[in-house]
Amino acid sequence: MVTGESSDRPQPVRVFLLDDHEVVRRGVRDLLEAEPDIEVVGEAGTCAQALARVPALRPQVAVLDVRLPDGDGVTVCRELRSRMPQLACLMLTSFDDDDALLDAIMAGAAGYVLKQVKGADLVTAVRTVASGQSMLDPATTTQLMESLRHRDEAAADPALAALTPREREILALIGKGETNRQIGEDLYLAEKTVKNHISRILAKLGVDRRIQAAVIATRLESADPHDGRHPHRSW
């Protein structure tokens, strides 16, 4: 009967859209919904709306604009993946920004495409990340991380000595791309406590962005392979 037929048919990929431009959202929605295997289940124009709506709608893919009036898509990606680890985030932006790409990687994004992308390529990107694959080129990622590492290297060395053992543990976990919530679970700390520690870490390192601390952390780990290997067991 009808039930049997529908059970044989694969479920469409559930997609959520976040962009502050209504025209862009409509265009992307129309493009995706023209595909029989994709369904747009919701949309938002602000970070706050997305954080409120996505967990209830349970999409498989979130297409997130990087620049938004009340924040940025990278932060939304990090927060949503903290709550929904299986969610694939595809960052969509009009800027070709290396720092934004690195931020997206550290937040756990599965892909990063420019708004100038062809419609067919965007559809392919959605299908790719929905299947669990990454749209991020490993060689490009490595090159960008190396570039940022050298840029921050000179200022970091004396600052690292000022970190407490706990702050070094947290820095190591930042380097692994963990969210505040995941760090709290690893170290048995409240999420607010983790956030306070990270604020102090950034201040001591003389940086103002989490990605810069993450790059410093990867260099710290390579310099001392024992430090941060099992951070939650080291005290």
Side-chain angles (χ1 to χ4, degrees):
M1 295 179 64
V2 176
T3 305
E5 291 175 4
S6 62
S7 64
D8 293 337
R9 199 176 301 135
Q11 294 296 312
V13 175
R14 295 167 57 82
V15 179
F16 187 93
L17 306 177
L18 169 60
D19 195 295
D20 58 320
H21 295 100
E22 183 182 359
V23 172
V24 173
R25 290 201 310 274
R26 285 188 178 183
V28 174
R29 175 188 278 274
D30 291 346
L31 175 72
L32 295 179
E33 291 200 324
E35 303 297 320
D37 60 332
I38 298 176
E39 176 189 5
V40 177
V41 296
E43 60 182 66
T46 67
C47 296
Q49 290 173 350
L51 291 172
R53 294 172 185 174
V54 171
L57 294 169
R58 309 300 297 179
Q60 295 159 268
V61 177
V63 179
L64 308 174
D65 190 10
V66 170
R67 314 282 182 181
L68 293 155
D70 64 332
D72 62 86
V74 172
T75 300
V76 173
C77 173
R78 183 180 295 116
E79 290 297 322
L80 288 177
R81 283 184 48 78
S82 177
R83 304 181 209 175
M84 306 166 59
Q86 300 306 313
L87 177 68
C89 293
L90 183 63
M91 312 309 297
L92 186 63
T93 181
S94 55
F95 301 93
D96 189 4
D97 182 343
D98 286 354
D99 283 350
L101 173 54
L102 281 168
D103 282 342
I105 294 167
M106 295 306 301
Y112 183 98
V113 294
L114 297 178
K115 287 184 178 178
Q116 295 91 320
V117 68
K118 293 180 180 178
D121 291 336
L122 178 58
V123 171
T124 298
V126 168
R127 290 188 179 124
T128 298
V129 299
S131 69
Q133 300 178 63
S134 174
M135 289 290 295
L136 297 166
D137 174 30
T140 301
T141 302
T142 301
Q143 183 179 351
L144 286 169
M145 290 291 281
E146 196 64 30
S147 172
L148 193 55
R149 178 180 292 119
H150 290 317
R151 193 175 73 190
D152 292 333
E153 201 167 58
D157 285 332
L160 287 172
L163 298 182
T164 66
R166 173 64 86 197
E167 289 167 348
R168 288 170 74 93
E169 289 173 343
I170 292 174
L171 179 61
L173 294 176
I174 292 173
K176 296 179 188 300
E178 293 200 4
T179 65
N180 291 358
R181 181 173 300 180
Q182 290 168 331
I183 292 172
E185 290 172 355
D186 280 349
L187 300 180
Y188 306 102
L189 297 172
E191 193 171 346
K192 184 177 180 181
T193 301
V194 172
K195 183 178 282 189
N196 291 338
H197 275 300
I198 291 175
S199 294
R200 287 193 291 271
I201 291 168
L202 296 181
K204 288 182 178 181
L205 294 179
V207 299
D208 54 11
R209 304 178 65 205
R210 189 187 186 99
I211 181 63
Q212 293 171 294
V215 170
I216 292 169
T218 60
R219 187 164 56 82
L220 177 63
E221 186 172 1
S222 63
D224 182 0
H226 298 292
D227 187 27
R229 181 179 295 174
H230 294 297
H232 56 295
R233 298 178 186 169
S234 59
W235 68 84

